Amino acid sequence: MNLTIQLFATFRNNRFKEAQMQFADAITLGQVIAELEITIGEVGMVLVNGRHAPMDQELSDGQLVALFPMLSGG
Amino acid sequence: MMAHTLAKEKNMDKILRVNMSNLSTSSENVPAEWAGLGGRALTSTIVAKEVIPTCHPLGKNNKLVFAPGMLSGTAAANTGRLSAGAKSPLTGTIKESNVGGTAAQMFARLGIKAMIIEGLPTGDAWYGVHVSKDGVVITEETELIGKGNFAVVEALELRFGKKTGVLSIGTAGEMRMLTSNISVKDTDSKIRSHGRGGLGALMGSKKIKFIAIDDTAAPGITLADPDKFKEAARIFAKALISHPATGEGLPTFGTAEMVNIVNAAGGLPTRNFTYGQFEGRENISGETMRETIIERGGKPKHGCQSGCIIQCSQVYNDKDGNYVTSGLEYETIELMGANACVGNLDDIAAADYVMDDIGVDSIETAVTFGVAMEAGVLPFGDGKEVLRILTDEIGRGTPLGRILGSGAGNVGKIYGITRVPVVKNQGIPAYDPRSIKGIGITYATSTMGADHTAGYAVGTNLMGVGGGIVDPLKKDGQVDLSRHVQIAAIMLDSLGLCLFVGFPAADVPTCVPSLIDMLNARFGLELTPEWIGGLGMTTLKTERAFNIAAGFTNIHDRLPEFFEEPLLPHNAVWDFTGDEIDEFWNF
């Protein structure tokens, strides 16, 4: 299935800003993050279609995953 | 021994009074009940005790109080914040507005626990106030009247020396505009701002153009236990650096890092709070700002105060490498860039410089432009017209300039607009409360009017600061969260700490104990972490009591009606009942 992956801040270093990527059906959010070679501990915020989601959530075709390192403060 | 040290300390510190009615000054010993206070806890305590709550904010009975934080003037990192307190001309509530720059550390080294400016002069003359180890001198001022803040700083450095500290008002403050702020010189002779609440108008009403500070031969800080202080300060600095928000995110991307985060969460105020996401957000993001600054030879890292090890500020240059502005913050970028749809960093940076120079709050002013654009005063996204209006209308006090200089709430009334994002007449900052509900409770209940810094629930709502995410789209837990962060903010504002110390304070176990150790080693006390929480609760209740006596009720702790309209992309609505919000004060 296809997912849109958006990366922000330092996660873009040596990766990308936004990409359409193919993943196995029923893959979990945590597995997608692992495939991007990002460790869970580095993740500050992860949104699926704009909402917070647990790492064991199964994803479905066409969803948008946005990944941020720990950032805060405005 | 400890009692002796504390007594010595109390004798050293003083309260300065500047009476503008008879142009006299005096120095008083610190009353016992104020000895254990500083920053916001002290300004709010003084305002609550000495200012008549129903007074006119620009009349003879209001007072302007400055107080450095309890740890200001020491060598500890990020402790140089200054509090300014009063009854706010903009909101009519009690106000504490907090700033970096050099003034807090200079006041603290001079042993000035607080400076209270009271009364009103009778004639039309303007004055400058000069503070040094020998006391305070008030002098009539003519040369700098009508001048912008940058010219004031430059002239005062020539007059009093390069190292002079400066608090000043621009032309907006002279005209007593409700958006006007008090500027504070930073280490680069540029400007930081006591931004919120219209305190520039208050200083203008007292006919004070500037306060210059000379800390030559100041007595400095006497630490009760220097070794213990040094060790605690080391642990504190380590906590700051070890947290990813203060150690990596803020120094790399500045506060503009929030643009993409808040946009992704659907809470980025866009087109006068009509949408929660902005198509052009990448152009105004922290990631883009960093690249642009580096490409043009600016500084991506910069401190608002000496001793800052977070360095979230920056110096922004134009395409030719010339200085445009520094300290370009997320709120200014977001509210001008997405909410007023200006959409490019160059126009926003140029506007930021002019706002600093004429001396208006860049949050209130940017929110005002969003409302004015909806009213048809100028088109959404017209950055060049924003710049013209700031310079030619607001800066010069034309009728249109005076209208826009009176803030978002008044502009909404004058033009008959219902989408007016204010609470207690103060503009709502750059997080839509429908999608980030914890900050909405802070906007509603803060004693200051809408103010994100009064209780920054965003960190927990979006990033889980302090032990896990409180879902920003649900009502559960938001009132408790806002109460918790509002109490914590008072600790930060009273110790003289940067707001961002709140992140390691919530997540790094050694941080708060190191702060307590520093306080105890500074003053020779035996305070506990419980004392800090108590200080926050007591101060909040003191501020609330002032507001109630000034005529505010729980009905003022509400968000504007338009927030009941659904916000894309989540169709989020503000659906807290009054009773649910009022639960905030149940402590």
Side-chain angles (χ1 to χ4, degrees):
Chain A
M1 64 176 181
N2 267 310
L3 295 174
T4 302
I5 310 291
Q6 290 180 338
L7 301 179
F8 296 92
T10 48
F11 285 169
R12 289 179 176 177
N13 297 346
N14 304 316
R15 293 195 188 90
F16 54 87
K17 282 186 187 177
E18 179 171 331
Q20 308 284 327
M21 297 176 74
Q22 286 277 342
F23 292 95
D25 286 348
I27 195 167
T28 66
L29 182 55
Q31 288 166 331
V32 166
I33 293 170
E35 287 200 20
L36 292 164
E37 296 183 350
I38 292 171
T39 57
I40 301 293
E42 292 175 86
V43 177
M45 179 171 90
V46 55
L47 301 175
V48 177
N49 286 355
R51 289 174 184 265
H52 287 86
M55 290 299 166
D56 60 359
Q57 180 169 318
E58 283 188 14
L59 301 178
S60 49
D61 190 53
Q63 284 186 316
L64 169 67
V65 176
L67 273 165
F68 296 82
M70 178 69 203
L71 301 171
S72 203
Chain B
M1 180 65 197
M2 273 180 186
H4 170 74
T5 312
L6 181 61
K8 199 173 84 180
E9 195 61 42
K10 270 194 287 192
N11 286 338
M12 276 180 59
D13 281 350
K14 55 192 177 268
I15 305 287
L16 295 183
R17 271 184 206 275
V18 177
N19 185 327
M20 295 307 291
S21 293
N22 58 18
L23 303 180
S24 68
T25 69
S26 61
S27 173
E28 300 165 6
N29 291 330
V30 178
E33 66 267 29
W34 295 353
L37 303 175
R40 173 174 168 184
L42 183 55
T43 61
S44 287
T45 300
I46 293 174
V47 171
K49 180 159 188 273
E50 298 197 359
V51 174
I52 299 164
T54 51
C55 75
H56 193 293
L58 302 179
K60 63 181 179 180
N61 288 317
N62 201 4
K63 301 191 182 191
L64 176 58
V65 183
F66 293 101
M70 295 176 77
L71 293 173
S72 299
T74 70
N78 292 72
T79 53
R81 303 284 296 189
L82 182 68
S83 291
K87 172 168 173 164
S88 162
L90 180 70
T91 65
T93 65
I94 200 166
K95 174 60 61 179
E96 186 265 356
S97 179
N98 195 278
V99 74
T102 61
Q105 286 151 334
M106 296 176 94
F107 274 142
R109 285 196 293 267
L110 285 162
I112 300 167
K113 186 109 175 145
M115 186 162 89
I116 304 171
I117 302 172
E118 52 199 22
L120 284 185
T122 45
D124 292 330
W126 283 89
Y127 299 91
V129 171
H130 191 260
V131 182
S132 72
K133 71 171 181 17
D134 301 320
V136 185
V137 178
I138 306 169
T139 312
E140 191 172 337
E141 177 65 32
T142 53
E143 181 197 339
L144 298 177
I145 307 311
K147 295 282 197 295
N149 284 309
F150 291 105
V152 171
V153 168
E154 197 181 334
L156 292 178
E157 287 189 347
L158 284 172
R159 199 184 293 180
F160 298 118
K162 183 74 184 163
K163 286 185 177 169
T164 188
V166 178
L167 301 165
S168 71
I169 57 171
T171 51
E174 289 182 32
M175 292 184 277
R176 301 180 303 283
M177 287 183 184
L178 296 179
T179 53
S180 63
N181 61 19
I182 297 174
S183 294
V184 181
K185 193 183 107 169
D186 71 10
T187 45
D188 294 335
S189 303
K190 302 299 185 194
I191 283 170
R192 315 298 304 189
S193 309
H194 282 295
R196 308 233 64 195
L199 296 184
L202 174 56
M203 192 156 142
S205 74
K206 300 201 180 300
K207 296 281 193 179
I208 297 173
K209 177 67 178 174
F210 67 82
I211 299 164
I213 312 164
D214 175 4
D215 69 350
T216 307
I221 304 290
T222 308
L223 299 172
D225 186 339
D227 290 339
K228 185 178 165 189
F229 190 92
K230 199 173 165 187
E231 174 61 10
R234 193 186 61 78
I235 293 167
F236 173 60
K238 206 172 157 190
L240 277 182
I241 289 169
S242 70
H243 194 281
T246 42
E248 191 173 346
L250 285 164
T252 309
F253 301 106
T255 55
E257 66 189 10
M258 296 308 291
V259 170
N260 277 330
I261 297 171
V262 179
N263 186 79
L268 196 78
T270 300
R271 210 175 170 86
N272 192 30
F273 285 79
T274 304
Y275 306 108
Q277 290 183 317
F278 180 56
E279 205 170 286
R281 48 93 182 159
E282 194 63 43
N283 292 334
I284 58 169
S285 68
E287 290 89 336
T288 299
M289 184 163 83
R290 178 180 168 79
E291 282 170 21
T292 308
I293 287 173
I294 291 172
E295 201 177 281
R296 297 175 176 182
K299 288 185 194 167
K301 288 165 76 167
H302 182 258
C304 78
Q305 48 174 292
S306 64
C308 169
I309 58 173
I310 300 175
Q311 305 268 306
C312 74
S313 180
Q314 64 302 110
V315 176
Y316 187 92
N317 290 346
D318 67 14
K319 286 188 175 100
D320 301 321
N322 301 311
Y323 175 92
V324 180
T325 195
S326 52
L328 189 52
E329 301 294 343
Y330 165 69
E331 278 69 31
T332 312
I333 292 170
E334 198 291 323
L335 291 165
M336 210 48 109
N339 196 50
C341 305
V342 167
N344 79 82
L345 288 170
D346 284 339
D347 284 351
I348 299 165
D352 188 61
Y353 176 85
V354 178
M355 289 190 280
D356 282 351
D357 196 39
I358 66 176
V360 290
D361 176 23
S362 61
I363 295 181
E364 189 66 38
T365 304
V367 175
T368 302
F369 271 108
V371 174
M373 285 168 174
E374 178 151 341
V377 176
L378 70 165
F380 275 103
D382 192 342
K384 303 296 181 278
E385 181 63 1
V386 166
L387 203 57
R388 190 199 68 77
I389 287 176
L390 285 170
T391 310
D392 295 345
E393 309 279 359
I394 300 177
R396 291 180 187 160
T398 64
L400 177 62
R402 283 192 174 266
I403 289 169
L404 298 181
S406 69
N410 290 325
V411 168
K413 281 181 191 156
I414 289 164
Y415 286 94
I417 299 296
T418 56
R419 190 187 305 280
V420 186
V422 298
V423 179
K424 303 183 180 84
N425 204 40
Q426 182 163 279
I428 291 182
Y431 310 89
D432 196 300
R434 288 167 285 194
S435 300
I436 310 177
K437 294 189 192 297
I439 199 72
I441 295 292
T442 296
Y443 295 156
T445 56
S446 167
T447 51
M448 304 287 149
D451 179 351
H452 65 297
T453 68
Y456 192 69
V458 177
T460 306
N461 275 163
L462 298 187
M463 290 279 176
V465 168
I469 283 158
V470 174
D471 190 329
L473 291 163
K474 293 182 180 155
K475 293 203 285 185
D476 311 276
Q478 308 295 358
V479 172
D480 288 341
L481 168 62
S482 176
R483 188 189 302 117
H484 178 76
V485 288
Q486 288 198 48
I487 289 167
I490 291 177
M491 166 190 84
L492 304 170
D493 293 344
S494 301
L495 269 56
L497 297 166
C498 157
L499 178 68
F500 300 140
V501 173
F503 304 133
D507 288 333
V508 182
T510 54
C511 186
V512 172
S514 72
L515 291 169
I516 303 291
D517 286 347
M518 283 197 285
L519 281 174
N520 289 336
R522 160 82 172 88
F523 294 103
L525 297 171
E526 290 176 15
L527 304 173
T528 62
E530 290 69 37
W531 174 84
I532 288 262
L535 179 76
M537 287 191 268
T538 306
T539 304
L540 260 190
K541 286 183 174 176
T542 300
E543 292 170 347
R544 167 86 163 161
F546 181 95
N547 289 350
I548 288 169
F552 289 83
T553 71
N554 60 327
I555 302 305
H556 297 96
D557 288 355
R558 303 289 182 262
L559 297 191
E561 190 180 48
F562 80 84
F563 286 119
E564 293 170 12
E565 297 165 16
L567 181 75
L568 290 173
H570 299 304
N571 282 317
V573 293
W574 181 257
D575 52 0
F576 281 89
T577 65
D579 286 345
E580 286 168 343
I581 296 170
D582 293 343
E583 192 56 32
F584 176 89
W585 290 105
N586 189 12
F587 65 92

